[in-house]
Amino acid sequence: MKKSGSGIAYIQPFVQEYAETITDVLEIAVTIIDDQGVRIGGTGLHAASIGQPIPDGAFFREVLATGEPGFIPGTGDNSACKNCTTAFCCQELATMGFPIKKHGQTVGVIGVIAFTAGQRDRLTRNSAKFFVFLGHMSSLLESKLFMLDDQWRLQHQVQEVLETINGKYVFGGLLGRDATFVQLLQKAQQVAISNATVLIRGESGTGKELLAKAIHAESGRKDQPFVVVNCPSIPENLFESELFGYEAGSFTGASKGGKKGKFELADKGTLFLDEIGDLPLALQPKLLRAIQERSIERIGSTQPLPVDVRIIAATNRNLEKMMQEGGFREDFYYRLNVIPLTIPPLRSRPADIPLYLDHFLENFARKLNRGNLRIEESLRRWLVNYPWPGNIRQLEHALEYMVTMARGEILALRELPANLLADQGERGFSGSLEEQLAEYEKQLLRTYVAPGASLAVKKKAAEQLKISLATLYRKLDKYQLH
């Protein structure tokens, strides 16, 4: 359902039915005009002009402009008709118009028109009653417009929910359907247009740099540089020269022409400080000062150099705990943590794993010219239930390996990387035989029945496992797998 400024043009079939009903009751022609001066309902001689604009200078245009009702008892009233471009051939003998309003704004006009002497006399004699009647009809149309808004809002909300459940949300190189993850991507897209500092939290492999790039690409700085600083990789003695640059001859071995630092290279763009939690404590005040003052000093120079950069930082460390232990400066933390965004690990959003499986499968099959590959259902269940400690990065590498090693057009369990199987073994079960068997049964059931699975899925699982549906439900209850 579409929505416009007034909405009245989008209920045209209802408007026409409305006009015909009024005509049946009053035995007089009715016309309804939208806020653009287009006739969207009409009976009598005006039925043939539905969809066409009313003439310039017409009486109904004056009602639209003033928002006031009006009555022309006869075409001889030149003061009301003198500016109408069709006054010389007008067949209307008397006309009454009443504004249709919504939130106090005029969004249309409902009018009655006499084309015969008898209709004109009846309209003139009962003009006060007709005004009251048209007022009621206008209110009913206004109520219909409010209902239209409510229906549109409800449909829009339902559509958003359906897109979240059944579709996928894409932001930059990140995609998902998990509700929590989609909310994160929507929040990131919302803050992208600002210049506020962003701190991205998340485990290794969750896509922190991808999210930073997506924010940059959606911002007003998208045509300017995106410069990455990998904080742990910069030796402490080279930190200042790497970030702030240096003048020619400022130290032994310095380049003759000097060198721009990361801040200068990112001027007008975005500076991404990756793994900021690994930055040595002694270097944090220097970086804090540059961010706060929006200027730097090259090594060997005493002149401050203004820089315009947006800061996006990322870490997989617990900065709050580091602050308590004295490993991270409190003032630096609060300067970075203006807009916090936390990417949930892949294991907490299993609904997204199939999206990434299909995405990476298609990409690697195309790059490696492997044709149309697909994933066997048993392998897909295994991959969805694997905890992925390395998150999306680990999943991507696993798919690349399996596509490379595929023996046919169907990826099966035999294509799994040995390290995944070994890792699963190391994460294996302990305890008594009974406990280990119970844990194995629980894991096996999880591969067949995902949380929230439909009745059809459960019936199919029971058939494959050769147990009754009642037994399956009993075991799902036992292990709290519903």
Side-chain angles (χ1 to χ4, degrees):
M1 183 184 299
K2 294 182 180 179
K3 183 182 181 185
S4 71
S6 69
I8 193 168
Y10 292 94
I11 55 171
Q12 194 278 328
F14 172 83
V15 166
Q16 179 58 24
E17 183 179 341
Y18 200 76
E20 291 171 358
T21 300
I22 297 173
T23 294
D24 290 342
V25 173
L26 299 181
E27 297 182 345
I28 194 168
V30 175
T31 190
I32 300 177
I33 314 298
D34 73 2
D35 56 351
Q36 302 300 311
V38 176
R39 198 182 310 275
I40 59 172
T43 61
L45 295 180
H46 287 314
S49 59
I50 294 174
Q52 299 177 9
I54 58 176
D56 290 338
F59 165 62
F60 289 139
R61 287 195 180 274
E62 182 181 349
V63 177
L64 273 177
T66 63
E68 298 294 333
F71 176 43
I72 303 176
T75 54
D77 186 357
N78 293 328
S79 63
C81 301
K82 62 180 180 180
N83 294 322
C84 181
T85 55
T86 60
F88 68 95
C89 61
C90 182
Q91 296 177 315
E92 299 176 4
L93 302 183
T95 303
M96 179 179 290
F98 202 96
I100 303 166
K101 297 195 175 184
K102 179 182 173 187
H103 297 304
Q105 299 295 317
T106 303
V107 297
V109 176
I110 179 171
V112 291
I113 304 120
F115 286 105
T116 68
Q119 290 176 344
R120 179 184 60 190
D121 292 343
R122 189 166 73 256
L123 182 57
T124 302
R125 288 195 311 270
N126 300 288
S127 60
K129 293 180 181 179
F130 271 59
F131 267 128
V132 173
F133 178 79
L134 290 183
H136 288 316
M137 296 301 101
S138 175
S139 296
L140 288 174
L141 274 175
E142 182 182 21
S143 298
K144 181 67 176 179
L145 293 177
F146 287 141
M147 289 175 59
L148 176 70
D149 282 349
D150 291 339
Q151 290 172 359
W152 182 88
R153 278 194 294 269
L154 179 60
Q155 186 175 23
H156 184 66
Q157 290 168 359
V158 171
Q159 185 64 30
E160 284 185 339
V161 172
L162 290 174
E163 287 175 358
T164 299
I165 296 173
N166 301 319
K168 62 183 179 182
Y169 191 93
V170 180
F171 181 52
L174 295 159
L175 67 158
R177 62 163 60 101
D178 175 81
T180 302
F181 188 59
V182 168
Q183 288 173 4
L184 167 75
L185 296 183
Q186 290 173 335
K187 183 178 179 181
Q189 193 165 22
Q190 183 179 353
V191 303
I193 59 175
S194 74
N195 282 315
T197 301
V198 177
L199 177 60
I200 303 174
R201 315 286 288 268
E203 297 178 4
S204 294
T206 49
K208 296 186 291 294
E209 184 172 342
L210 279 177
L211 184 59
K213 287 180 177 178
I215 292 172
H216 172 76
E218 287 283 317
S219 73
R221 300 171 180 263
K222 62 183 179 181
D223 297 323
Q224 302 301 324
F226 178 86
V227 178
V228 178
V229 177
N230 191 295
C231 295
S233 68
I234 303 176
E236 191 167 344
N237 61 329
L238 297 180
F239 177 81
E240 286 190 78
S241 63
E242 282 293 312
L243 264 70
F244 308 137
Y246 56 81
E247 298 291 350
S250 55
F251 55 86
T252 303
S255 172
K256 292 182 179 179
K259 179 185 175 182
K260 289 184 177 182
K262 300 290 188 180
F263 269 88
E264 282 186 79
L265 293 174
D267 191 36
K268 303 294 189 297
T270 301
L271 186 65
F272 178 55
L273 304 172
D274 198 14
E275 301 303 346
I276 194 69
D278 294 331
L279 187 69
L281 185 64
L283 301 179
Q284 293 173 21
K286 298 176 182 180
L287 190 51
L288 173 62
R289 181 180 178 184
I291 295 173
Q292 286 181 330
E293 297 185 2
R294 298 184 179 276
S295 68
I296 60 169
E297 286 185 13
R298 284 185 173 187
I299 295 176
S301 173
T302 58
Q303 296 297 319
L305 184 65
V307 286
D308 174 18
V309 297
R310 182 187 192 170
I311 300 294
I312 300 179
T315 185
N316 62 2
R317 304 283 297 274
N318 187 332
L319 298 185
E320 292 78 12
K321 184 178 179 181
M322 291 178 66
M323 280 195 299
Q324 293 174 2
E325 297 173 350
F328 203 85
R329 289 178 61 101
E330 187 173 349
D331 52 358
F332 191 38
Y333 168 83
Y334 288 115
R335 185 62 188 84
L336 295 175
N337 197 40
V338 178
I339 305 290
L341 299 174
T342 301
I343 305 178
L346 191 57
R347 63 182 172 275
S348 72
R349 44 190 179 100
D352 288 347
I353 295 177
L355 291 179
Y356 285 104
L357 289 177
D358 294 337
H359 174 72
F360 291 137
L361 178 66
E362 181 182 349
N363 281 356
F364 290 125
R366 184 177 62 253
K367 288 179 182 178
L368 300 173
N369 196 27
R370 292 305 310 266
N372 294 321
L373 292 176
R374 63 185 181 88
I375 300 173
E376 188 179 66
E377 190 58 33
S378 58
L379 173 60
R380 184 177 289 270
R381 286 198 301 267
W382 195 98
L383 294 170
V384 169
N385 285 283
Y386 183 71
W388 299 109
N391 292 291
I392 299 172
R393 185 186 297 122
Q394 184 187 18
L395 176 62
E396 181 180 10
H397 293 166
L399 260 292
E400 184 176 14
Y401 173 89
M402 287 188 285
V403 171
T404 303
M405 303 302 292
R407 304 174 195 177
E409 293 185 352
I410 300 176
L411 298 184
L413 285 166
R414 63 174 177 266
E415 267 84 38
L416 271 172
N419 66 308
L420 289 190
L421 290 171
D423 178 58
Q424 188 78 331
E426 291 172 4
R427 294 169 179 268
F429 317 125
S430 60
S432 67
L433 177 61
E434 184 179 354
E435 290 171 339
Q436 292 189 49
L437 288 173
E439 186 62 31
Y440 176 76
E441 186 177 53
K442 178 180 177 180
Q443 297 298 336
L444 183 64
L445 288 170
R446 287 183 61 191
T447 66
Y448 281 87
V449 183
S454 66
L455 177 60
V457 170
K458 291 173 182 175
K459 285 182 177 179
K460 183 178 179 182
E463 291 173 3
Q464 291 174 328
L465 294 170
K466 294 181 171 53
I467 59 176
S468 69
L469 185 60
T471 299
L472 176 65
Y473 270 102
R474 188 169 61 253
K475 290 182 179 294
L476 292 176
D477 287 336
K478 175 182 176 182
Y479 299 119
Q480 298 181 342
L481 294 177
H482 280 296

